[in-house]
Amino acid sequence: MPFLSTIVASLFSLVFAILGAKTTTPSPILRLVIRFGASILRNIPVVAWAMILLFSFKQSDFTGFLALFFMTLGYLTRAFTETIEDLDAEKLQALQAVGANYFQCVFCGVLPEAASTLTSWILYMIENNLRDATLVGLLTGTGVGFLFDHYFKSFHYDAAGLIVLLIAILVICLELTSNQIRRAIA
Amino acid sequence: MLKVIQLDKTYGSNKHSLQSVNFTAQPGEVTAIIGPSGAGKTTILRSINQLIRDDSGQILLDDTDIRQANPAELRKIRHHIGMIFQNYNLISPLTALENVLHGRLGAKSTLAGMFGLYSNEEKQEALELLDEVGLKDYAYQRCDQLSGGQQQRVGIARALMQHPKMILCDEPIASLDPKSTKIVMDILRRLAKEKQLIIMINLHQVDIAMDYTDHIIGINSGMIVFEGATSTVDDQVLQQIYRQADPQAVTANEN
Ligand SMILES: Nc1ncnc2c1ncn2[C@@H]1O[C@H](COP(=O)(O)OP(=O)(O)OP(=O)(O)O)[C@@H](O)[C@H]1O
Ligand SMILES: [Mg+2]
């Protein structure tokens, strides 16, 4: 669940970031709308998302997915937008000067230049979401949070503790791997 | 032939950055634009391919007014105008070959360009151009692993891939050491002669301009103060070009 929601949210974020970044936006109004929307999504904590979505979708995997999705969408749209805005605008002008059109500039210039930073953000977000998934799971009664809740409430503290430990180990492993990947692509 | 007529440009509501600029540049010749910092050299060059929209005037390349072109026409025109920058402006994680192939973007369909679908002939030509600028062995190297001089030569190959009528160079050697400077300037001069290209170069180094160019345009405070054959440039002309009308403005520019 945390993987899937992060990946799906990344794809949406990328599109929004390209439409919303100063250097690549097709319209300043669209840029404002996207910035505003992302800011709202980002500033609602993931726990609040879970609560809100529980009303509509009850306890289900989908609720957990959506809670992480929205929070990630807000966060990554902002991170991606800033990544794109930090790119050297002259490099994109150089492609314009060659006669490249908008889509070609984005695919041949913006994406390759930004790729390594964007990947770092996605990896970082997966780490984060894996951790948050426990919390969301507790509230939505799904995934690993559900297991923890189950053992905790039935006084199996050893099993509950093991789950916490496993999550911690998983997150640490993931962090180490993603550091490696980051270094490899930088 | 490139003919610029009565070109005017004002940034915001400020002073004129270009005032009634007139000049011509011939195929087969290297034309240098020289002048003090802030004189308007970059503005002229970027107006020619409309990276900067000028306010009024005419820019005729072989009798087509670039300023009147609609977006689709402009894309076609730009396809035949190469541009070379002080900072090379290559896409750094891509290979030299991929960057050279970008020179074809203006001629390709949107999708083929987006996804980098190049024909074997195009790849072959790109490799030959890399060979022509002495980078045969670096085709598959990432551009950020190349030296400045090598990157600039990739930039030249990218421009050549456009089958250009004209190449615009904005301080192409300002970040290069003397050896790379010589290599790059030699290539540019050779291309002008061999392929009958119009080559325009913004330069800060007067000695380089004297050694390598055929034609010189001197600009000061947005106005052309000299235009003529390089052989006719003497100390008096240089003094006129680099004269400081307003010492305060110059210090402001340098900060
Ligand atoms: N984007 C801009 N907005 C406002 N003013 C600008 C802009 N770009 C350039 N100018 C002004 O236009 C004038 C000409 O600038 P330009 O960059 O063409 O000079 P230049 O001759 O290329 O200088 P340099 O040798 O330092 O590169 C300068 O006075 C500069 O301050
Ligand atoms: Mg300049």
Side-chain angles (χ1 to χ4, degrees):
Chain A
M1 182 178 68
F3 287 102
L4 192 65
S5 52
T6 313
I7 298 301
V8 178
S10 310
L11 291 177
F12 280 91
S13 301
L14 186 57
V15 174
F16 286 138
I18 289 168
L19 296 176
K22 205 172 184 173
T23 30
T24 51
T25 186
S27 117
I29 296 170
L30 188 62
R31 173 175 141 81
L32 271 182
V33 173
I34 290 174
R35 284 177 75 96
F36 187 67
S39 160
I40 291 179
L41 291 183
R42 200 174 53 245
N43 284 305
I44 299 176
V46 68
V47 175
W49 273 120
M51 303 292 236
I52 297 168
L53 293 164
L54 270 178
F55 288 118
S56 333
F57 298 102
K58 302 286 180 293
Q59 286 203 337
S60 74
D61 277 333
F62 191 58
T63 314
F65 172 86
L66 278 185
L68 287 178
F69 172 81
F70 282 124
M71 200 263 309
T72 310
L73 183 64
Y75 201 87
L76 283 186
T77 300
R78 155 124 186 224
F80 287 2
T81 306
E82 285 179 358
T83 305
I84 292 174
E85 286 177 353
D86 280 347
L87 298 181
D88 188 352
E90 265 212 359
K91 293 194 177 204
L92 307 180
Q93 280 182 345
L95 288 184
Q96 259 181 301
V98 157
N101 62 22
Y102 177 78
F103 292 102
Q104 293 174 337
C105 281
V106 168
F107 273 70
C108 300
V110 176
L111 294 186
E113 279 287 328
S116 70
T117 318
L118 299 184
T119 317
S120 294
W121 276 114
I122 296 173
L123 291 171
Y124 170 77
M125 229 33 220
I126 290 179
E127 283 166 33
N128 253 349
N129 283 350
L130 201 68
R131 226 169 296 139
D132 285 352
T134 331
L135 197 61
V136 173
L138 277 179
L139 292 160
T140 60
T142 55
V144 69
F146 170 76
L147 279 181
F148 176 82
D149 200 38
H150 173 78
Y151 287 125
F152 192 77
K153 285 191 177 139
S154 56
F155 308 108
H156 288 96
Y157 295 125
D158 48 348
L162 191 64
I163 288 175
V164 174
L165 198 67
L166 282 178
I167 291 171
I169 291 172
L170 191 61
V171 171
I172 290 169
C173 289
L174 206 73
E175 201 171 305
L176 293 176
T177 343
S178 68
N179 281 343
Q180 295 258 301
I181 299 177
R182 258 182 284 236
R183 224 165 299 142
I185 57 179
Chain B
M1 187 173 76
L2 174 73
K3 202 170 163 81
V4 172
I5 302 166
Q6 293 289 330
L7 189 65
D8 268 280
K9 170 73 197 171
T10 317
Y11 285 106
S13 55
N14 280 8
K15 65 177 180 69
H16 281 285
S17 288
L18 295 182
Q19 262 185 78
S20 312
V21 165
N22 292 295
F23 66 86
T24 53
Q26 306 287 349
E29 286 191 356
V30 180
T31 302
I33 306 180
I34 61 173
S37 186
K41 302 183 291 295
T42 300
T43 308
I44 291 185
L45 223 56
R46 290 178 163 240
S47 295
I48 293 176
N49 64 0
Q50 296 284 286
L51 283 182
I52 292 176
R53 294 294 175 142
D54 42 290
D55 292 348
S56 65
Q58 281 180 299
I59 300 167
L60 304 174
L61 179 60
D62 296 341
D63 297 323
T64 315
D65 191 347
I66 300 178
R67 290 187 64 257
Q68 305 295 330
N70 66 33
E73 291 165 348
L74 180 59
R75 202 180 152 218
K76 289 244 163 57
I77 295 172
R78 280 177 174 168
H79 173 56
H80 292 294
I81 304 179
M83 192 161 202
I84 289 165
F85 305 80
Q86 176 178 351
N87 303 320
Y88 326 124
N89 290 336
L90 305 173
I91 305 301
S92 28
L94 299 184
T95 62
L97 181 64
E98 286 169 312
N99 271 285
V100 175
L101 285 167
H102 281 170
R104 292 290 299 159
L105 285 177
K108 292 192 88 71
S109 75
T110 303
L111 283 177
M114 277 163 73
F115 296 106
L117 309 173
Y118 299 100
S119 69
N120 282 333
E121 291 82 60
E122 286 170 325
K123 283 179 198 158
Q124 196 53 43
E125 184 184 355
L127 286 170
E128 279 161 20
L129 290 174
L130 279 170
D131 192 14
E132 192 173 333
V133 295
L135 292 175
K136 196 167 145 208
D137 299 335
Y138 296 89
Y140 298 97
Q141 195 105 336
R142 276 175 62 134
C143 278
D144 50 10
Q145 292 169 354
L146 298 176
S147 76
Q150 291 168 335
Q151 290 193 48
Q152 196 58 295
R153 282 184 275 158
V154 175
I156 294 174
R158 172 170 72 184
L160 290 177
M161 195 72 198
Q162 296 175 242
H163 301 162
K165 291 178 183 169
M166 171 163 69
I167 300 184
L168 308 170
C169 316
D170 196 357
E171 302 190 18
I173 53 167
S175 312
L176 301 183
D177 61 40
K179 189 161 161 262
S180 303
T181 296
K182 184 169 170 359
I183 295 174
V184 166
M185 291 306 299
D186 280 335
I187 292 176
L188 290 175
R189 187 166 56 179
R190 175 167 56 86
L191 289 173
K193 303 283 177 279
E194 280 179 13
K195 308 203 178 195
Q196 287 295 303
L197 304 182
I198 303 169
I199 295 202
M200 304 222 39
I201 313 188
N202 285 353
L203 281 174
H204 267 300
Q205 300 88 329
V206 176
D207 50 333
I208 301 280
M210 299 301 283
D211 287 351
Y212 285 93
T213 69
D214 308 293
H215 193 71
I216 285 190
I217 294 167
I219 178 168
N220 189 310
S221 313
M223 282 181 285
I224 304 272
V225 292
F226 174 83
E227 183 185 359
T230 304
S231 53
T232 63
V233 173
D234 55 22
D235 280 349
Q236 204 186 339
V237 170
L238 288 175
Q239 250 169 31
Q240 192 189 356
I241 296 171
Y242 285 96
R243 151 186 58 100
Q244 298 180 356
D246 181 357
Q248 255 171 349
V250 171
T251 30
N253 263 323
E254 269 159 14
N255 287 332

